[in-house]
Amino acid sequence: MENFVQQIINGLTLGSIYGLIAIGYTMVFGIIGMVNFAHGDVFMVSTFIALILFLALTQLLGLPSIYLALFLVLVAAMVLTSLWSWAIERVAYRPLRGSFRLAPLISAIGMSIFLMNFVQVTQGPRNKPLPPMFNDVIQLSGLPGAANGITLAWKQILIMAVTAVLLCVFWFVVQKTALGRAQRAVEQDRRMAALLGVDVNRTVSLTFVIGAALAAVAGTLYLVQYGVVRFDDGFIPGVKAFTAAVLGGIGSIPGAVLGGLLIGLIEVLWSAYVSSDYKNVAAFSVLIVVLIFMPSGLLGRPEVEKV
Amino acid sequence: MAATDASGPTRLGKALRDAGFAALVAAALSFPILALRAEADMNNTLVLEQRWSWILVAAAAVGSARFFASLLDDWRARAAAVLGAWALLFGAGLAVFSRLLDRDALVWALGAGVLLLAYAWFQETRARPAPAAPAAAAPKTRDALRLFAIAATAAVIAYPIVLLFWLGPQGSLKWINNYGVQILIYVMLGWGLNIVVGLAGLLDLGYVAFFALGAYAYALLSTTFGLSFWLCLPLAGVLAAFAGVLLGFPVLRLRGDYLALVTLAFGEIINIVLTNWVDVTNGEAGVSSIPRITFFGLPFTAADDGFAATFGLGFSPIHRTIFLFYLVLALALLTCFITVRLRRLPLGRAWEALREDDIACRSLGLNTTNIKLTAFALGAMFGGFAGAFFAVRQGFVNPNSFTFMESATILAIVVLGGMGSQTGVALAAVAMIGGTEILRELDFLKRLFGEDFDPNQYRMLIFGLAMVTMMIWKPRGLVSNRQPSIFLKERRAVSGGLVKEGHG
């Protein structure tokens, strides 16, 4: 029993990270209808930015407080990752609006390959391990049936809390602010929105920037939780986060987080109780099954085909 | 051009502003990733290696590229000017940082830079004739392409023989094997995927799964049941086609980008199963000692009943390599021939119609599922053939040969070849696979970039950038005109850029 609860906690932690990445997929897909294939690699770039900045602050500048360092790293990683994503959109996607159907996706795949190999060339192909940090845990032993107790690390609480707060913030942004209204307008009809004075390019750019900032939060938290990054770490989490976005209903922000939590739970429970070798097969099978039998996801709207 | 002259000074100012902005962005982007490198030391703790000059390099390179792109109109002039500016920058870098100071390299870099810039200036300022109507030019291009294809095929057929006489059996082995066979495998895979992506317009990111199935089919059938290659080759194709149909049935009603993601997931699942189903596939260790190719039953060995002894030749390993070369050439040409002929059948026309507009196809009563399925199965079948060939050539297979990067490489070849063009795909395979192999041979690159320079490291980096550039510059491909396969009075080709595509 305690093992099961422990797995649930681990699954929710992993799922929160997937959920944060999935918001980027779902917002971009909602607004310009393209799968931003490079988003997983933007997440990977953000983990590297966070890692390098963390090392720079603690080793080069000798910042004593690890909490202050982490906070600065988080902010700087969000800014720099957003800039990466903005530049990618500007260079690789914007010229292709109105091009043929597969062009943006192929361009995104090219960008994904580029980012992965760029980091491999500049940072080397090996694992980058950080020593574990924030190791304080809470022992929950009072629960009925829990003999050895369940450990809940503070960083796991941090990850889930940050995800919950960001979900609320962005839900508010999309529902209540001018930016959110512009986004929804562009999503519904790009040309009409432009005619009514919405700056489409700016809105799309901002969407990419927000998605990348959330991916940077996920990247920093991923680094804190798992402590090791590699140049190809963006690919599999990227596909899983996309699965999460599809499962939750693509275009829906709460759906993305819900889907992320579900994918995290499925993955962790599958590797705990069925087979850890095949945990990725579980996530990919979910993608295939959802796309075939439930393409509008849990919270999404059914898609209407227009001629 | 007149417009350029009128707005000269403001244009220059704008170009400078753009360049400055781009350089700033490049500097900010490269700040953590380029300037600092985290590397684990002896105790496995990470330490930072500082190389701040790289920021300057990145900013200068991006800034100069943006400057000329903003200043010049003609794309030839732009490309030449950017390359020229980079050559000059490289020369300046050699002179300043002098770590690799090499007088010849310096002269070459500066000379090339000046020449390229002069060419750019010439291209930009010369009077250009009004562009000819694409329809009028098309038949000539078509004949030229056909002539080129025939000449290239003849050259490829003659390639090993010429090399054999020129370099002898020892010297030509590397050239036939590393360049010939290796490139032809990718040509064949490119042509196979071209049916799916180029003709039917279905983006398949898991093509390597069919390649893997073909390879493992031969590897396992031959090592377990002792079946011969000639029996396994069709079996591998059938098996892969069957897998294609199995995957295709449920997923082919998905729209383009969903389909791409599902095929990607399928490819990954196949790879994971190959890695973890140790009882059958032997996992990471792979299947080894796969029987080698035989000349229709005669083994290529030094034994008395071997190929060499039977035909009264002295034994040489080159016989096997040449046979493999012609075998993969035959398989590739078969792929190409079937594709070209199918394009003229109603089925092939339906593929292209489907690519152009899914909904219109359905409105006209075409069964889109069957049409997609045939494209998928045919592409998978050729992937399976290529896989069986790969296994018999290597004598060893393991899951590492069948990763997503392999799918991406094949897709890059198809995309860069101009989706749908057989000649383009073959040229792209030669340029991409042969090009990086050739770079390894060039000594002066080692002198410029240091002894440990390995162009293969940069291969996928260049592929990725090339895919993006290709999509922006010519999304319908280099050789992109739409040939009508059926016509009333005269054949009028339409330039690919003019084809407006429907959503579907």
Side-chain angles (χ1 to χ4, degrees), chain A residues 123-195:
Chain A
Q123 296 292 325
R126 272 178 298 185
N127 274 340
K128 310 284 175 200
L130 266 187
M133 49 187 158
F134 309 118
N135 292 316
D136 299 337
V137 293
I138 309 172
Q139 291 286 344
L140 305 172
S141 48
L143 290 176
N148 300 327
I150 297 150
T151 51
L152 176 59
W154 277 105
K155 54 188 174 190
Q156 291 182 312
I157 298 177
L158 175 80
I159 290 173
M160 289 184 238
V162 166
T163 307
V165 169
L166 285 175
L167 172 64
C168 296
V169 169
F170 281 96
W171 181 239
F172 175 79
V173 166
V174 169
Q175 291 300 318
K176 301 287 178 195
T177 64
L179 170 65
R181 275 194 298 279
Q183 274 180 337
R184 280 178 290 144
V186 173
E187 188 178 331
Q188 280 175 10
D189 191 331
R190 196 187 305 159
R191 191 174 298 170
M192 193 65 211
L195 284 175

Side-chain angles (χ1 to χ4, degrees), chain B residues 11 67-74 77-79 81-82 120-121 124:
Chain B
R11 179 119 199 223
F67 176 73
F68 286 113
S70 186
L71 187 68
L72 305 176
D73 286 317
D74 185 63
R78 277 184 190 178
V82 169
W121 183 76
E124 182 68 13

Side-chain angles (χ1 to χ4, degrees), chain A residues 54-55 129-133 135 224 227, chain B residues 44-46:
Chain A
F54 183 76
L55 289 175
L130 266 187
M133 49 187 158
N135 292 316
V224 170
Chain B
N44 207 24
T45 43
L46 289 175

Side-chain angles (χ1 to χ4, degrees), chain A residues 29 33-35 37 45 48-49 51-53 55-57 59-60 80 83-87 90-93 95-96 98-131 235-236 239 242 246 250 277-278 280-281 284-285 287-288 291-293 295 303 305-307, chain B residues 21 25 28-34 36-40 44-48 50-52 54 66 197 200-203 205 247 250-251 253-262 264-266 268-269 272-273 276-278 354-356 358-359 362 404-405 408-409 411 415 419 457-458 460-461 463-465 467-468 471-472 475-476 500-504:
Chain A
F29 192 93
M34 99 180 239
V35 179
F37 200 84
V45 168
F48 268 86
I49 291 177
L51 172 80
I52 291 167
L53 289 178
L55 289 175
L57 284 176
Q59 287 183 359
L60 297 183
L80 286 171
L83 191 65
W84 267 102
S85 190
W86 175 85
R90 185 72 190 77
V91 171
Y93 306 153
L96 295 177
S99 183
F100 85 116
R101 178 166 58 86
L102 290 176
L105 183 59
I106 292 174
S107 182
I109 292 168
M111 213 62 211
S112 157
I113 298 171
F114 168 74
L115 286 177
M116 201 187 290
N117 286 278
F118 177 73
V119 172
Q120 185 187 5
V121 166
T122 55
Q123 296 292 325
R126 272 178 298 185
N127 274 340
K128 310 284 175 200
L130 266 187
F235 177 62
I236 299 284
V239 177
F242 177 76
V246 170
I250 201 136
D277 289 337
Y278 288 97
N280 289 342
V281 172
F284 293 140
S285 307
L287 174 67
I288 297 181
L291 278 178
I292 293 169
F293 296 107
E303 191 184 339
E305 207 166 8
K306 280 181 273 189
V307 180
Chain B
F21 182 66
V25 171
L29 289 183
S30 55
F31 153 58
I33 298 274
L34 258 183
L36 297 165
R37 176 180 169 132
E39 195 56 76
N44 207 24
T45 43
L46 289 175
V47 285
L48 286 178
Q50 302 181 45
R51 34 183 198 195
W52 297 100
W54 285 38
R66 185 78 185 96
V197 177
L202 306 166
L203 193 54
L205 295 181
L247 171 70
V251 306
R253 60 199 180 93
L254 298 173
R255 39 167 292 185
D257 22 17
Y258 281 176
L259 178 76
L261 265 297
V262 169
L264 168 73
F266 173 73
E268 285 301 300
I269 289 176
I272 294 168
V273 169
N276 290 312
W277 196 9
V278 180
L354 191 73
R355 174 191 65 200
E356 301 301 334
D358 193 344
I359 296 171
R362 264 181 284 161
F404 170 69
M405 273 302 147
T409 308
L411 180 69
V415 168
M419 289 173 281
Q457 225 187 337
Y458 300 94
M460 292 311 288
L461 192 81
F463 273 24
L465 275 185
M467 278 168 87
V468 175
M471 281 300 109
I472 294 169
R476 306 311 292 271
K500 173 88 176 100
E501 193 161 2
H503 174 85

